[in-house]
Every structure is written in structure tokens, then in C-alpha cells.
Amino acid sequence: MKVLLDQSIKDYQGNDIEIEGVKQTYQMIIGFAVTGVVRDEILTAEKKMKAHQLANKIYGNKEVDLTADDIVFIKERVDKVWQSPLYYGRILELLEEKVEEIKENIS
């Protein structure tokens, strides 16, 4: 499933989220979640490698082709790393929208 990650994330009023003048994109937020580790968390070698491979995909392209496993991993990492309901919600909306598009095209 192809997902465009260079889009800026919008706040609840529809404005671009900016931190210190830098627009926050899906690429930045997902990339940080995939590569970030929270206190007292120990990643298995398998999860570290998955994070590494996914980070290469995310940071290397504006549009990425994500597998079902990638999406599950991203959701898990965003939930773990970001405590912001806004970031979590926006990312799930983006990913679920793409899943629905695929389901419609299959039908």
C-alpha cells in the first residue's frame, strides 16, 4: 500500500503543526516512532531490524509502499512512543484510509 508521508500533520483546527517553525510531517512523526525507544524498553533483535528496515524506507522516500506487517509495527510504535492522541489519531486515520482504499479496489 502506497502512502505519501511528506504531508504535514494538522491540528484539530486544520492548521499545520509546527515546532520551532518546522512543519511536522507524517515522515518525521512515524520515523521517530519507529526508531525511538521509551524508558526501560528493550527491543528484540528482530524488532530492531524491522525498525531499521522501515526507517530506511520512511526516510528514503516521500511515498512508501507499506505492507500489512509494516502498518501493524507502525501502529504499535506510535502507540508506545507518542503520548499525543493527536499524532496517534492522525497516523491511524492516514493508514486506515489507505487500507479502506485497498479493500474497495479489491471488491
Side-chain angles (χ1 to χ4, degrees), residues 26-37 58-59 77 81-82:
Y26 287 97
Q27 185 180 46
M28 295 166 71
I29 300 306
I30 293 172
F32 183 83
V34 167
T35 60
V37 179
I58 291 167
Y59 286 119
R77 297 309 305 158
V81 173
W82 289 105

Side-chain angles (χ1 to χ4, degrees), residues 11-85:
D11 65 17
Y12 292 115
Q13 288 77 40
N15 303 310
D16 292 338
I17 297 176
E18 291 188 21
I19 297 178
E20 297 181 4
V22 177
K23 288 183 182 176
Q24 302 299 291
T25 65
Y26 287 97
Q27 185 180 46
M28 295 166 71
I29 300 306
I30 293 172
F32 183 83
V34 167
T35 60
V37 179
V38 295
R39 180 184 293 232
D40 297 330
E41 180 181 26
I42 298 171
L43 294 176
T44 64
E46 180 182 335
K47 285 193 175 191
K48 287 177 193 173
M49 196 60 200
K50 175 71 174 172
H52 172 71
Q53 291 168 342
L54 198 48
N56 281 326
K57 240 196 237 193
I58 291 167
Y59 286 119
N61 304 289
K62 291 180 181 181
E63 184 176 58
V64 295
D65 193 11
L66 299 174
T67 66
D69 286 342
D70 293 341
I71 292 170
V72 169
F73 189 77
I74 288 169
K75 287 180 180 180
E76 175 188 307
R77 297 309 305 158
V78 169
D79 182 43
K80 177 81 77 175
V81 173
W82 289 105
Q83 295 303 307
S84 167

